[in-house]
Amino acid sequence: MSCVRKLPKRTKSQELVYQEQCKIVAQENGKRIGLEGDPDLQFLLKGGDLLKVKSRSWRKTRYFRLNEDCKTVWQQTSKTFKSDSSFSLEDMDSVRYGRQTEGLQKYTDSSADDRCFSIIFKGRRKNLDLIASSKEEAKRWVSGLEKVMTVMHSLNRQQNSEHWIYNCMRKADKNADNKMSLKELKHFLRQINIEVDDSYAEMLFKKCDTSNSGTLEGSEIKHFYDLLTYREEMDAIYGKYASTNGQISSSDLLNFLQKEQKEPVSLEHAKKLIEKYEVDETSKQNTYMSKDGFLVYLNHEEGSIFNPAHKPIYQDMHRPLNHYFISSSHNTYLMEDQLKGPSSTEAYIKALVKSCRCVELDCWDGANGEPVIYHGHTLTSKVLFKDVIKAIKEYAFKTSQYPVILSLENHCSIEQQKIMAHHLTSILGSALLTQPLGHQMPNTFPGPEELKGRFLIKGKRLNKLDAAFNNNTTDDVDSVSEEDEAAELKEAEQKPKEKSSKKIKLAKELSDLVIYCKSVHFSNFEHSRDYHAFYEMASFKESKAMNLAENSATPFVHHNMDNLSRIYPAGSRTDSSNYNPVPLWNAGCQIVALNFQTPGKEMDLNQARFLPNGKCGYILKPEFQRDPASQFDPKNLRVGPWLKKKTLHVMIISAQQLPKINKDKQKSIVDPQVRVEIYGVPDDNASKQTHHIDNNGFNPVWNTKFQFTIHVPELALVRFVVEDYDAASPNDLVGLYTLPFTSMQNGYRHVPLLTKRGNLIPSAGLFVHIMALDV
């Protein structure tokens, strides 16, 4: 139910009753999320006028408030109140206080700074820039929205599920009388993504309408809810282990954890789970776990497929930097494609808060002596280099403290290179690494732990790193060969016979900032081994890197034991599409740069690779990719420490509350099917899928079993994909989840589901049984 929904015109008394109902709904939802009576929530529910800013000339006062569902914000979109719209808190990424977006910095004066705030959306939706009437009001909006977002994000799947079903019931209650007619019940079932025939709906209705009143109310609605959310598979699992007066005792729970979940835990741990998750106080006192408590436990992180022990930083972070996979972005400045898409500081912010640790800056001469960043020789817009550095400084370490590499593609004149160096040193300050760590020339990289909070510049250098210690003088300007994408870009514009080694002039001020990531040309592995120092690194176009990974995998693995390698997408990918990063991780490549702005399977795999270890952007490579004695070859799996063969048994049991795909058509219900995919070394790549289920996105059941053989588990990723089956056209994505094989938990587990852009779908998920056995 929504107070702003267009309804038949009400009398004055009906309107008062309706508004009172809205207050009751808001109170009930506030209670559900633990904010009953909270003053910040009350402020948001009341709402108020804010000045919406789109340009210097477009500034309009609009009324905003939190809807009574506590999940959506309503905004007036015309002065006459005839038009309105709302957006979900789930679509919001963050709220920023002050003039912290390009729009507010461009279109407002600094005097308004303490009255400004912005709502940042996920994906490509534009920011919502707002100005409040006072500093206090702006802070109230920011703190209130942040509080509700934090609370909503902290709800477990069961709480999200209850909240979602409750609000769907409210929306189905068209006349807001707290009763449900048969017609409203049918509408509600369509709302929650399930299609039933009229006879089943009538049977369900009559079963619950014990008062024979023709409507469901009070305890009858509760009975209907219980029937609807009943999960037969949970009853079967609970019944199997509930050997103490029909309930699960602490000993029964221990038996379940050890036998089914394969967890090496103690009786004390089982008792702690009961204390933590049991909802009935009497059962808790007797150290029993009821069915409800069991379901709550399985819906929390202990019951998730992702091992909670891998959620914090758990790996050794003192190894040399090149011993890690590093989350990396290509053309970071782009929001869309690389022909005419906008360049923006927002793109850097979005990548950095996703723990991207290597960003690219494509630098060109700009007007008024200020260098700019954009995709050269295209229609992409330009953004000032100094504004990008300011944004990077502000957001680099919000979600990860580990070092950020700034990969410079330098097309600038000497004069503007000096300006670049000035901005880097003045804005980044002491966080910018300008000297190797220690007091003598190192022979290997420091680790991420030693480089916490530091920025590293990747680019050309005029001399060896030794010069940082022996005060060797270097000319203020000299020429160096032009490598990487800069050379590729120029070569593409020339005729084949004109191609030759290009030279660019490099300013000493910029050169001296390159410490551990000096860009050099790659000839072959032998040349690199004999002539390149550890800090000298090459960048490879995807086709070159894929060829080396395919045909010279073992030498490539060894090269990456000594040096860093950066891989970037082909210039022909003008739509900013991505390549498959897995073969390059298999070859030990650290900086596998992807277009973060482009959702798809490749970015799913990248998100999964960096999911464990605190999502810090660094993942320690397997020992066999770091040991000089290793002869690992992903294509030829001879006996070695990498060969830890496993049989993976996956049972897709059921799904819960899958989102509707076609929301414009009320009667459109998904026909879900699930595909399980394995990505890793070539012998491990596989895919299997269930049958589809007609017209049920609410609680479909498959009970379908799959079996996979995994040869190199440390490099394998497991991907669950739920699609809406369509016989006549390509299936639509419903949700997905990908994680490393080594981060999976055995037993009965819930699998969260994400959107194509990697955002959580709060109430949706799969229920599976996982068993990985040694062969």
Side-chain angles (χ1 to χ4, degrees), residues 609-647:
R609 173 60 71 213
F610 296 98
L611 178 63
N613 206 35
K615 292 185 181 177
C616 74
Y618 285 84
I619 293 291
L620 186 63
K621 295 196 287 185
E623 176 67 26
F624 56 80
Q625 289 187 325
R626 296 181 279 122
D627 178 9
S630 171
Q631 291 300 307
F632 174 63
D633 181 344
K635 282 182 66 181
N636 185 11
L637 298 175
R638 299 183 293 271
V639 175
W642 51 84
L643 204 59
K644 299 171 183 174
K645 203 170 177 182
K646 304 266 187 185
T647 299

Side-chain angles (χ1 to χ4, degrees), residues 421-472:
H422 169 73
H423 288 325
L424 288 167
T425 52
S426 63
I427 296 170
L428 300 181
S430 60
L432 178 64
L433 195 73
T434 57
Q435 280 277 114
L437 300 186
H439 302 291
Q440 59 186 24
M441 181 61 198
N443 56 17
T444 189
F445 292 97
E449 192 67 32
E450 288 73 45
L451 292 167
K452 259 186 173 180
R454 306 302 294 271
F455 293 100
L456 280 62
I457 304 299
K458 174 197 167 290
K460 288 293 179 182
R461 185 181 170 95
L462 292 170
N463 52 18
K464 294 282 187 181
L465 191 57
D466 310 54
F469 291 96
N470 57 25
N471 295 319
N472 279 2

Side-chain angles (χ1 to χ4, degrees), residues 421-690:
H422 169 73
H423 288 325
L424 288 167
T425 52
S426 63
I427 296 170
L428 300 181
S430 60
L432 178 64
L433 195 73
T434 57
Q435 280 277 114
L437 300 186
H439 302 291
Q440 59 186 24
M441 181 61 198
N443 56 17
T444 189
F445 292 97
E449 192 67 32
E450 288 73 45
L451 292 167
K452 259 186 173 180
R454 306 302 294 271
F455 293 100
L456 280 62
I457 304 299
K458 174 197 167 290
K460 288 293 179 182
R461 185 181 170 95
L462 292 170
N463 52 18
K464 294 282 187 181
L465 191 57
D466 310 54
F469 291 96
N470 57 25
N471 295 319
N472 279 2
T473 57
T474 305
D475 292 338
D476 288 350
V477 176
D478 205 345
S479 295
V480 291
S481 62
E482 189 173 37
E483 306 296 349
D484 308 344
E485 295 169 81
E488 183 194 339
L489 187 67
K490 286 189 178 177
E491 283 183 2
E493 298 168 0
Q494 295 174 329
K495 295 174 184 177
K497 64 180 181 182
E498 293 178 342
K499 292 182 183 179
S500 61
S501 178
K502 300 295 178 298
K503 295 279 186 180
I504 61 164
K505 287 191 173 181
L506 183 62
K508 182 177 184 296
E509 293 88 340
L510 191 59
S511 164
D512 286 350
L513 300 181
V514 175
I515 305 301
Y516 290 120
C517 300
K518 177 184 175 182
S519 298
V520 295
H521 174 70
F522 175 82
S523 297
N524 55 62
F525 294 124
E526 292 75 16
H527 180 271
S528 293
R529 185 180 64 243
D530 295 340
Y531 296 102
H532 288 167
F534 75 91
Y535 59 85
E536 294 180 308
M537 63 176 291
S539 288
F540 302 86
K541 184 166 68 173
E542 65 172 276
S543 56
K544 171 83 169 177
M546 289 288 189
N547 183 52
L548 291 172
E550 174 78 14
N551 300 310
S552 306
T554 303
F556 208 176
V557 170
H558 277 265
H559 173 82
N560 291 320
M561 292 178 191
D562 300 323
N563 301 85
L564 284 167
S565 291
R566 176 178 174 268
I567 321 300
Y568 60 92
S572 57
R573 293 184 180 272
T574 53
D575 58 352
S576 292
S577 59
N578 282 309
Y579 55 90
N580 179 8
V582 174
L584 302 162
W585 289 327
N586 291 344
C589 299
Q590 303 90 347
I591 302 177
V592 181
L594 298 177
N595 290 300
F596 268 52
Q597 74 274 26
T598 307
K601 179 180 69 178
E602 297 81 12
M603 275 306 296
D604 299 340
L605 297 171
N606 194 75
Q607 186 168 343
R609 173 60 71 213
F610 296 98
L611 178 63
N613 206 35
K615 292 185 181 177
C616 74
Y618 285 84
I619 293 291
L620 186 63
K621 295 196 287 185
E623 176 67 26
F624 56 80
Q625 289 187 325
R626 296 181 279 122
D627 178 9
S630 171
Q631 291 300 307
F632 174 63
D633 181 344
K635 282 182 66 181
N636 185 11
L637 298 175
R638 299 183 293 271
V639 175
W642 51 84
L643 204 59
K644 299 171 183 174
K645 203 170 177 182
K646 304 266 187 185
T647 299
L648 174 63
H649 298 272
V650 179
M651 183 178 183
I652 304 296
I653 301 172
S654 60
Q656 295 77 44
Q657 290 151 43
L658 301 176
K660 293 185 73 154
I661 300 304
N662 193 342
K663 292 181 180 178
D664 297 332
K665 293 184 179 178
Q666 269 198 351
K667 294 187 177 181
S668 174
I669 309 295
V670 301
D671 304 324
Q673 68 177 31
V674 182
R675 188 168 64 255
V676 181
E677 301 169 345
I678 311 293
Y679 294 88
V681 298
D683 283 356
D684 290 346
N685 294 333
S687 176
K688 297 181 180 182
Q689 70 182 29
T690 67

Side-chain angles (χ1 to χ4, degrees), residues 21 112 145 343 358 543 655 680 688:
Q21 286 287 345
L145 286 169
S343 304
C358 180
S543 56
K688 297 181 180 182

